[in-house]
Amino acid sequence: MKEIVLITGASGAIAKALSKKIEKDFAVRFLTRKKEAENEFEWNLENQIVDENAFENVSHIIHLAGANISEKRWTEDRKKELISSRVDSAKLILNTLKKKNLKLRSFISASGINFYGTKTTDKIFNENDAPGNDFLSEVVVVWEKAADEFKEQNLAERVVKIRTAVVLSKNEGALAKMKTPIQFGIGSPLGSGKQYMPWIHIDDICSIYEFALKDTEVEGSYNASAPQHTTNENLTKLIAKVLNKPLFMPNVPTFILKLIFGELADALLEGSRASSEKIIKAGFEFQFPDLKMALEDLLKK
């Protein structure tokens, strides 16, 4: 009998790719807002309702649910939604496990590399560093706290928190948004372009979740960021090079980004490096440690 893994955030790029990766070894179920397949179960966060059948005989939960950080301006309502979609969803799972008197082998939660704060510094952050003091780090702190509750309340043997960098994938997310203007000859770096952009190939982030699922020694927080560091300017130039497109537009001025995006602009204009040493020491091997190699894989296929 295959162990059962329940995945939240079913519509996201990671959930889709990850489920394909692990389905030969595990039986996969999803929590989703609208059931469309036999292995999907509905939940409604606003009303704190979930189909409890999803939890029957579940061994592991991979919690990927969370509203997209960079999709809309951060109004007060949007900020509440960004936190609630991560924290209240975890609470709903926790309360359901309690009610059904179930204990997981592992609770593996997505988390953010923004834990360390939205700032550009010379420091390379590791998992022992303190959190930052801005909105995004606040989101990550409460998100991880919600995950830790599963261990603290004895509802999971171990908890893993994957502090995820910018995920590069072919048709979704940051890379898709960056490559479009470059293809039309109007791409350019943002602000100074000197802000670091921690990144990871979609195949590697899925492999990290699989690694965390299978290796029972893996516990606590891990930076999921490729070992090669880059800046926004370098990434933009490399995308253009791989696509064989010229880059001649000036950098997008900071004030324009702030006008368009408000407070969210900080997340685009600032960024620091994060060390991947801990996950590598645990035995994980990156398939795409090199940015050019990652971009060629995603943009040339």
Side-chain angles (χ1 to χ4, degrees):
M1 279 286 284
K2 287 180 180 176
E3 285 187 318
I4 298 168
V5 178
L6 178 61
I7 300 177
T8 72
S11 59
I14 295 174
K16 289 179 205 162
L18 176 61
S19 60
K20 287 195 182 90
K21 192 171 186 59
I22 63 171
E23 64 189 1
K24 66 179 186 298
D25 297 319
F26 298 91
V28 180
R29 291 179 191 163
F30 297 99
L31 278 177
T32 178
R33 283 191 292 260
K34 196 171 186 306
K35 181 180 168 74
E36 287 175 359
E38 200 180 324
N39 67 336
E40 293 180 349
F41 299 83
E42 286 190 14
W43 67 340
N44 183 308
L45 283 186
E46 290 77 32
N47 303 321
Q48 286 283 291
I49 295 167
V50 63
D51 182 348
E52 292 181 8
N53 293 315
F55 295 86
E56 291 301 325
N57 302 314
V58 161
S59 297
H60 311 271
I61 292 179
I62 297 179
H63 184 40
L64 302 173
N68 189 320
I69 292 284
S70 59
E71 204 170 71
K72 299 176 187 172
R73 278 179 81 104
W74 293 347
T75 60
E76 285 311 306
D77 282 349
R78 181 61 174 173
K79 282 182 171 183
K80 282 177 192 157
E81 187 186 351
L82 291 172
I83 291 173
S84 170
S85 61
R86 289 160 170 77
V87 175
D88 294 341
S89 53
K91 277 182 188 159
L92 178 54
I93 295 167
L94 183 115
N95 291 334
T96 309
L97 291 175
K98 260 192 207 166
K99 183 180 166 188
K100 294 181 74 67
N101 200 21
L102 295 171
K103 184 171 179 176
L104 303 169
R105 289 195 61 207
S106 60
F107 183 81
I108 302 168
S109 178
S111 175
I113 211 75
N114 303 93
F115 176 87
Y116 309 105
T118 312
K119 56 191 173 222
T120 306
T121 69
D122 288 337
K123 184 172 168 58
I124 299 175
F125 291 93
N126 67 44
E127 293 81 354
N128 295 323
D129 285 310
N133 56 3
D134 51 44
F135 172 65
L136 276 188
S137 51
E138 180 198 325
V139 170
V140 182
V141 167
V142 293
W143 194 2
E144 291 195 358
K145 203 163 178 276
D148 286 331
E149 284 288 314
F150 287 80
K151 181 84 185 276
E152 283 160 22
Q153 299 202 30
N154 203 29
L155 294 167
E157 288 171 24
R158 64 192 175 103
V159 166
V160 187
K161 296 157 290 185
I162 308 291
R163 291 180 181 162
T164 311
V166 173
V167 176
L168 301 182
S169 71
K170 199 168 183 174
N171 301 315
E172 293 181 53
L175 183 58
K177 285 179 183 151
M178 289 177 83
K179 77 175 182 186
T180 305
I182 291 169
Q183 282 172 322
F184 287 107
I186 52 169
S188 61
L190 306 180
S192 71
K194 290 181 170 63
Q195 64 275 32
Y196 292 103
M197 272 188 76
W199 63 276
I200 189 166
H201 189 294
I202 182 119
D203 288 358
D204 278 331
I205 188 67
C206 291
S207 294
I208 285 176
Y209 277 102
E210 183 183 32
F211 180 72
L213 199 53
K214 290 179 173 178
D215 188 335
T216 54
E217 297 296 305
V218 172
E219 194 166 353
S221 309
Y222 291 86
N223 291 336
S225 178
Q228 189 189 66
H229 305 300
T230 192
T231 59
N232 175 268
E233 183 173 31
N234 186 52
L235 175 59
T236 308
K237 285 178 175 172
L238 213 44
I239 294 169
K241 190 177 177 183
V242 170
L243 290 172
N244 205 16
K245 295 284 180 183
L247 266 191
F248 49 81
M249 298 291 282
N251 289 23
V252 182
T254 296
F255 79 91
I256 287 183
L257 290 165
K258 293 204 176 216
L259 267 177
I260 298 169
F261 296 108
E263 194 184 339
L264 165 57
D266 292 341
L268 306 172
L269 291 163
E270 301 290 341
S272 284
R273 294 166 290 180
S275 166
S276 54
E277 205 173 310
K278 185 181 175 187
I279 192 88
I280 291 169
K281 275 188 173 167
F284 180 76
E285 283 182 40
F286 282 86
Q287 192 186 341
F288 296 96
D290 175 83
L291 182 57
K292 187 165 183 278
M293 191 167 102
L295 292 174
E296 283 175 346
D297 177 72
L298 293 163
L299 297 174
K300 287 196 162 179
K301 273 185 179 172

